[in-house]
Amino acid sequence: LFPVTFGRGVAHGLGRDLAARHGPPLVITQPEPWASLEADLGIEPAAVVMVESLERPYLEGLVATLPAGPILGIGGGSAMDAAKWLHWRRGVPLWQVPSLPSVNACFTHMVAVRDETGVHYSADAIPEMVFVDFDLMREAPAHLLRGGIGDVFTCHTARWDWEYAVARGHDPAWDDFAASESLRIVARLRELAPEIRERSDDGIEGLME
């Protein structure tokens, strides 16, 4: 469901390409990835926002005050989610450039909105494209890049939790294909472990897939 472009340097010049088709983008980002890509974006953005929070009032403040334009998210989970929120609330095109594989926010529809009662999942967002730039990913601290293993490995424990719940009459209903896929994914993760450790192109791509 999520179109993805993998490669070295695929985020370079992206702003120029987007501006030619849709006008200058609003960049929703974080300091470290923006420092890496700012000079190579190829255009002056309509605005640059360093995400401060995923609390609903903050997100709605961005919706109300930012200028018009397509959305370009660059960064980790907070940047991905804030960009998705703006896309969903405004109905404008969205592109995502994840800088970390330690969370799956660039591949999920919903936004983890915070309020005084905790985390609530809302929105429904699918980007025009997710650009996985191997060079940008390799700039992340090694432990954060490897952290994506934990997100994927939850497929292992979740399968057994699911089986336990279904046996006691809880939804969702058991699905043999989905259950077997979860084990296949974990086996693939084991095969990829040496490449992920080395932060190779194949390791990053396999982890994101």
Side-chain angles (χ1 to χ4, degrees), residues 64-150:
T65 60
L66 286 175
I71 308 298
L72 176 59
I74 302 172
S78 295
M80 300 289 97
D81 271 4
K84 287 189 295 185
W85 187 266
L86 281 162
H87 153 76
W88 177 64
R89 291 283 283 109
R90 288 185 165 190
V92 296
L94 167 68
W95 291 264
Q96 299 277 55
V97 182
S99 61
L100 296 171
S102 56
V103 293
N104 64 359
C106 64
F107 295 134
T108 55
H109 295 246
M110 295 182 290
V111 175
V113 181
R114 273 72 167 172
D115 64 23
E116 63 276 3
T117 64
V119 178
H120 303 276
Y121 291 92
S122 185
D124 186 11
I126 297 180
E128 303 291 318
M129 184 63 67
V130 177
F131 293 91
V132 177
D133 190 316
F134 298 143
D135 295 330
L136 179 62
M137 286 280 185
R138 266 189 289 272
E139 291 187 19
H143 72 280
L144 292 180
L145 194 150
R146 292 193 300 265
I149 291 172

Side-chain angles (χ1 to χ4, degrees), residues 101-102 144-155 189 192-193 196-197 207:
S102 56
L144 292 180
L145 194 150
R146 292 193 300 265
I149 291 172
D151 240 26
V152 180
F153 196 66
T154 58
C155 291
L189 185 67
L192 283 168
I196 295 171
R197 180 189 61 217
L207 181 57

Side-chain angles (χ1 to χ4, degrees), residues 31-57:
E32 295 84 357
W34 181 237
S36 295
L37 287 184
E38 179 179 8
D40 295 315
L41 195 63
I43 191 85
E44 185 69 25
V48 177
V49 176
M50 298 294 167
V51 177
E52 298 175 7
S53 166
L54 289 178
E55 294 185 359
R56 189 179 297 268

